Amino acid sequence: MTSIGGAEMVDWNLAVATATRLARPGPEVSRDEARAVVAELRRHAKSAEEHVRAFTRMIPEGAEPADTPVLVVDRAGWVKANVAGFREILKPLLDKMQERRGSSPGGAVLGAVGGKVTGVELGMLLSFLSSRVLGQYETFAPATRELPAGADGGGRLLLVAPNIVHVERELDVDPHDFRLWVCLHEETHRTQFTAVPWLRDHLEGEIQSFLGETEVDPMTVLERLREAAQSLTGSRPEGEEGDSGRSLVELVQTPAQREILSRLTAVMSLLEGHADFVMDGVGPQVVPSVAEIREKFQQRRAKGASRLDQALRKLLGLDAKLRQYRDGERFVRAVVEQVGMDGFNRVWTSPNTLPTKAEIAKPADWVARVHRRTES
């Protein structure tokens, strides 16, 4: 826990407790139904390995997917896992904020407010997100007593059972098909990282470079967290709109960070779009109602959300994530149509063959660059 003079920068335990207390209750299921859902998700996660490998032609090198655990969790379990990941990945940034805390006006205010307030506000944000995530491959997943992780720093795959049940009921789709469809997406992420050994270190390096370039005013971060928390509770003073058009990430960018963020955006678009492409590509063979599921799921994504939901999505950058799914899937589809699956898989050769943000929008440029260079 990052602290100075005994005062915590972030009270992580309080963040977990707050998020768990505020998280919405899941759908009503009997104990037997809950056991059946958990067992089925585990079976689908296992069968998805073979489907994804066969479709993508990506074979794990060294670590098998089975070496990274599959955890079926509730909303509280998802919160605990993500707090552990945040502590790990944000430690350099928090250390930097700690150094500045005693010397900058913003740091002094943050010190006065204390890590407990920050922990509460982080917990409020996590409670919002905990009811929305269906599954997640945690790339940076430190092992805890309750949450095992893969060997040698490997990740873990989380499936959030209550959220999956909630959405399948909301969409009124075949629950068995929907559960496998979700597992195909998340298994694709697990395959990406187990079949491409350098990808995790590359992504971690980019994130740490981004954080290392942060000339962060601690007060700015605190204000953004408070704005998000006020949005959740509806407690923003009347007439005070705030800067809901900018996300938390955008508020701490320097010119150097913008370059890193451009590369990160391209990689995340690739990973998310590839998972969507695989999910729908495998679907017709193993998920009979995949067309219905995809249509209803897309309608759900596009359906107008409440003003509160829209403000939070923008603040947290979730609207950008939806664009990553769409733009990345278009990129993957276009490249596969031009050069086939093996030609597309050259994207995993090295960091130099990853698409740029501009190439995500113009797949033909990536094909020309990578295939011309490798074939010359």
Side-chain angles (χ1 to χ4, degrees):
M1 191 172 293
T2 305
S3 62
I4 183 169
E8 302 165 0
M9 289 289 292
V10 179
D11 190 329
W12 298 105
N13 291 333
L14 186 56
V16 171
T18 301
T20 302
R21 185 176 70 254
L22 295 178
R24 299 175 184 176
E28 291 187 9
V29 295
S30 69
R31 188 178 298 273
D32 288 343
E33 287 175 318
R35 289 197 188 100
V37 170
V38 170
E40 184 173 22
L41 286 172
R42 286 176 176 155
R43 289 196 305 272
H44 283 331
K46 180 63 179 175
S47 66
E49 290 181 25
E50 297 179 6
H51 297 314
V52 169
R53 286 192 196 184
F55 184 80
T56 64
R57 303 177 193 173
M58 296 174 68
I59 306 300
E61 298 181 11
E64 290 285 317
D67 293 335
T68 58
V70 176
L71 305 178
V72 182
V73 298
D74 57 11
R75 290 168 180 174
W78 179 86
V79 167
K80 291 175 183 176
N82 277 267
V83 165
F86 287 158
R87 289 184 70 168
E88 186 80 8
I89 202 70
L90 291 177
K91 187 177 185 302
L93 176 62
L94 293 179
D95 287 345
K96 189 171 186 177
M97 291 174 66
Q98 175 182 329
E99 292 174 2
R100 294 189 58 178
R101 187 162 127 176
S103 58
S104 70
V109 173
L110 182 61
V113 173
K116 291 191 178 300
V117 171
T118 309
V120 168
E121 291 170 343
L122 177 60
M124 295 176 76
L125 297 183
L126 287 171
S127 73
F128 169 79
L129 295 171
S130 68
S131 63
R132 285 157 172 77
V133 176
L134 301 181
Q136 175 184 358
Y137 180 73
E138 278 199 293
T139 313
F140 313 107
T144 68
R145 184 174 58 184
E146 298 176 336
L147 299 163
D152 300 324
R156 58 186 167 223
L157 194 155
L158 304 179
L159 297 168
V160 190
N163 296 348
I164 293 172
V165 172
H166 171 77
V167 173
E168 70 192 25
R169 290 180 179 178
E170 180 184 325
L171 298 181
D172 190 24
V173 294
D174 183 284
H176 310 294
D177 284 2
F178 184 75
R179 293 165 195 172
L180 177 54
W181 190 69
V182 171
C183 287
L184 289 169
H185 182 100
E186 302 309 330
E187 178 57 37
T188 301
H189 285 317
R190 185 162 66 151
T191 298
Q192 289 163 348
F193 284 93
T194 55
V196 186
W198 54 264
L199 184 57
R200 181 186 183 278
D201 288 343
H202 171 73
L203 192 59
E204 183 176 18
E206 290 281 62
I207 292 172
Q208 293 303 337
S209 294
F210 181 89
L211 296 177
E213 289 290 337
T214 299
E215 294 300 329
V216 65
D217 174 6
M219 190 59 188
T220 299
V221 177
L222 182 63
E223 286 173 350
R224 293 303 102 184
L225 287 172
R226 180 167 294 114
E227 181 177 329
Q230 289 172 343
S231 296
L232 280 169
T233 60
S235 60
R236 178 178 290 138
E238 185 176 357
E240 183 182 326
E241 295 297 328
D243 191 6
S244 61
R246 303 178 70 188
S247 72
L248 285 166
V249 170
E250 291 171 328
L251 286 166
V252 296
Q253 280 188 63
T254 65
Q257 282 181 303
R258 282 192 286 273
E259 295 182 12
I260 301 169
L261 187 62
S262 178
R263 296 195 298 268
L264 279 171
T265 299
V267 174
M268 297 311 298
S269 295
L270 170 68
L271 298 180
E272 296 294 355
H274 184 235
D276 263 12
F277 177 78
V278 172
M279 180 170 60
D280 289 344
V282 173
Q285 286 73 47
V286 298
V287 183
S289 59
V290 64
E292 177 191 4
I293 290 173
R294 167 54 76 185
E295 180 181 1
K296 290 185 175 181
F297 197 76
Q298 292 287 59
Q299 289 173 353
R300 183 179 185 270
R301 277 182 178 173
K303 187 171 59 178
S306 67
R307 291 183 63 187
L308 167 61
D309 201 53
Q310 289 174 347
L312 281 166
R313 294 182 75 86
K314 191 171 290 292
L315 182 66
L316 298 172
L318 298 181
D319 53 345
K321 186 172 179 65
L322 291 181
R323 288 195 298 273
Q324 289 171 2
Y325 284 111
R326 183 184 64 243
D327 297 344
E329 196 274 342
R330 283 185 196 147
F331 170 83
V332 176
R333 186 174 301 280
V335 171
V336 171
E337 287 176 354
Q338 289 183 60
V339 296
M341 186 63 74
D342 290 336
F344 165 79
N345 280 340
R346 293 189 185 182
V347 78
W348 312 116
T349 303
S350 75
N352 293 329
T353 56
L354 291 172
T356 65
K357 189 176 179 180
E359 288 170 340
I360 289 287
K362 295 183 177 180
D365 290 354
W366 179 86
V367 172
R369 175 174 68 87
V370 172
H371 281 259
R372 184 187 305 120
R373 184 179 65 192
T374 57
E375 292 170 1
S376 61

